Amino acid sequence: MSATGLEVFDKTLQTTNIWLNEIGETLGPDRQRCYHALRAVLQTLRDRLSVESAAHLSAQLPMLVRGIFYDGYHPSGTPETVRSQDEFLQRVSARLDSGRAIDSGDAARAVFAVLAHHMPEGTVRHVTDTLPDEIRRLFPQQPAH
């Protein structure tokens, strides 16, 4: 039975729930925490990417996650010049819901693991190739290219 009556919405809802469950394997089962981590990390990553790279990544995201990715986006201010892992994680932390203690490093690693698991390898490589080494290290180890 369809939850929404539209297959495309059911599919994106199902995929988003899978992603949240996988994030929960690292952050715990609180779905609100997982959602906040997904949003904070994706939006921080989005703002670090060029408009072209953000569009390339977003084209591969499930529709619902793509909406989260683009929520509040101001492309004229991107890419932000975040070079260090500490600065990246500070920006993630600033976006996290302060009422739900979430370690920004754990959040970034959990979300990046989901991206690496579900996105085409070429898309992940395109994104990671644009990042400084310090930030790239938050992603799971990628095969050498």
Side-chain angles (χ1 to χ4, degrees), residues 23-61:
I23 292 166
E25 291 172 11
T26 300
L27 300 182
D30 183 332
R31 298 188 51 83
Q32 287 291 323
R33 284 171 49 103
C34 296
Y35 163 74
H36 286 289
L38 179 65
R39 185 190 68 202
V41 172
L42 282 181
Q43 291 179 354
T44 302
L45 176 62
R46 171 202 72 197
D47 290 348
R48 175 57 183 82
L49 298 174
S50 68
V51 173
E52 178 183 306
S53 292
H56 183 77
L57 173 60
S58 74
Q60 302 298 320
L61 296 172

Side-chain angles (χ1 to χ4, degrees), residues 74-89:
H74 300 287
S76 63
T78 61
E80 293 180 344
T81 55
V82 177
R83 290 187 174 84
S84 74
Q85 189 177 111
D86 286 343
E87 187 178 4
F88 184 85
L89 294 177

Side-chain angles (χ1 to χ4, degrees), residues 17-31 33-35 37 106-107 109-111 113-114 117-118:
N17 279 318
I18 290 168
W19 285 33
L20 292 173
N21 289 340
E22 289 181 17
I23 292 166
E25 291 172 11
T26 300
L27 300 182
D30 183 332
R31 298 188 51 83
R33 284 171 49 103
C34 296
Y35 163 74
D106 290 344
R109 282 184 282 281
V111 171
V114 168
H117 180 237
H118 291 281

